[in-house]
Amino acid sequence: MGGVVTQSSSVRESELSPPRLRTRERRARVLELLDGKEFVSVKELADEFGLTEMSVRRDLNAMVAEGLITRVRGGAGRPAHTPTSRQYAEAAQRNAEAKFKIARRAATLLDHASVVFFYSGSTVARVAASLDASAQTSLTVVTNSLPIIDDVSAWGDPHLVAVGGLYLPAYMAFVGPQAVAAFEGVSADVAVLGCDGLSADGGLTTPHQLVAEVGATIVRRATRKVVVADSSKVGRRGFTPIAPIEDIDVLVTDDGADPTEVARLSDTGLEVIVV
């Protein structure tokens, strides 16, 4: 039965469909369609692009993570809240395909969690956007990330704790004493963290001290820590430390990461998953 489905999907996408648009062109077309109406369905987009509905959903989830659209049942709508800042959007576009693969793999590591902390950052946001319907109904999400708050609030019956504080547009996240106190008051089974750099000797780092302070609190209050970072971050040492590498349990990165640095990270006892 599974073979029949695979064959049918292949025929649909390769033989019966119009010429494929590139990912960027498809996303531009989605925004163009939403410019003229409030909602566009997954089926409509699948017919428009000659793709399976599963492929369209992956596209839409990536666009949600970048703050470009809002996911609603059966399709997508216009962003309901704050538009994506220029700095955040630019960061989200860098190594976008690698970040998407990393996020999908990291989402599978949350299967047995009840409460998950989601840190700021576009790759972390993609992890939240990659969660399936089962995870959406069972997880309690605690986050200071505005794109994740927007995404999770559109789920059918979300269990969401939105952490507030001082808003940083470049990170689209809330930081400062209020955010730190909120995370200090709760605990999580898993924390999903991003960073601007990580190395065996420098640990997790970021340029912004207030962002680092929130990250350090999240690390202290979570049982298991999962870092999602594309290969451009691996081996880089930033300005402000978030946590030493010994405090992290898993790193999910892509196959462009420097093998020497990956080996050094593994030697510290860190589990490194390369996608």
Side-chain angles (χ1 to χ4, degrees):
M1 187 172 181
V4 173
V5 173
T6 302
Q7 184 178 8
S8 174
S9 298
S10 175
V11 168
R12 179 179 181 183
E13 290 191 3
S14 63
E15 295 179 15
L16 301 182
S17 64
R20 293 277 189 88
L21 296 176
R22 296 176 184 271
T23 301
R24 188 168 297 180
E25 294 171 332
R26 289 199 304 272
R27 294 180 185 179
R29 178 57 179 156
V30 171
L31 295 177
E32 183 181 319
L33 290 169
L34 286 173
D35 191 45
K37 53 186 176 180
E38 296 290 331
F39 171 83
V40 61
S41 71
V42 169
K43 184 179 186 306
E44 180 182 351
L45 293 172
D47 292 340
E48 171 91 10
F49 301 137
L51 296 174
T52 63
E53 293 188 7
M54 182 180 295
S55 296
V56 170
R57 289 190 185 96
R58 285 198 293 265
D59 262 4
L60 296 182
N61 286 340
M63 293 179 72
V64 167
E66 294 167 21
L68 299 174
I69 61 169
T70 299
R71 279 288 267 130
V72 295
R73 187 177 298 276
R78 298 175 185 173
H81 303 290
T82 306
T84 305
S85 74
R86 179 182 58 81
Q87 300 99 315
Y88 186 95
E90 289 174 352
Q93 286 298 327
R94 288 195 291 271
N95 301 318
E97 185 59 33
K99 290 177 179 179
F100 183 56
K101 292 178 181 178
I102 290 166
R104 281 191 296 174
R105 181 65 179 89
T108 68
L109 303 178
L110 309 183
D111 287 346
H112 302 295
S114 296
V115 180
V116 179
F117 290 156
F118 285 92
Y119 192 38
S120 56
S122 61
T123 310
V124 176
R126 288 173 192 260
V127 179
S130 298
L131 294 172
D132 60 21
S134 175
Q136 290 180 7
T137 58
S138 63
L139 278 184
T140 294
V141 172
V142 185
T143 185
N144 64 323
S145 165
L146 184 55
I148 297 176
I149 292 169
D150 284 351
D151 182 19
V152 175
S153 64
W155 293 357
D157 184 21
H159 305 276
L160 171 65
V161 178
V163 173
L166 172 67
Y167 181 63
L168 293 182
Y171 290 84
M172 295 194 74
F174 298 98
V175 297
Q178 185 178 346
V180 170
F183 279 113
E184 286 282 12
V186 291
S187 300
D189 303 301
V190 182
V192 181
L193 299 116
C195 60
D196 289 278
L198 79 160
S199 61
D201 56 351
L204 267 65
T205 56
T206 180
H208 203 294
Q209 290 175 308
L210 292 178
V211 174
E213 186 179 23
V214 171
T217 306
I218 287 174
V219 169
R220 286 196 302 271
R221 300 300 301 168
T223 302
R224 182 170 171 82
K225 281 75 70 173
V226 176
V227 172
V228 289
D230 69 80
S231 55
S232 70
K233 313 287 181 63
V234 177
R236 181 193 298 178
R237 187 167 183 166
F239 177 66
T240 306
I242 299 171
I245 213 68
E246 290 78 15
D247 287 355
I248 306 304
D249 298 291
V250 183
L251 165 66
V252 186
T253 189
D254 62 269
D255 58 10
D258 175 28
T260 301
E261 187 62 32
V262 168
R264 293 183 65 205
L265 290 166
S266 297
D267 287 344
T268 67
L270 178 68
E271 179 185 357
V272 181
I273 299 173
V274 178
V275 297

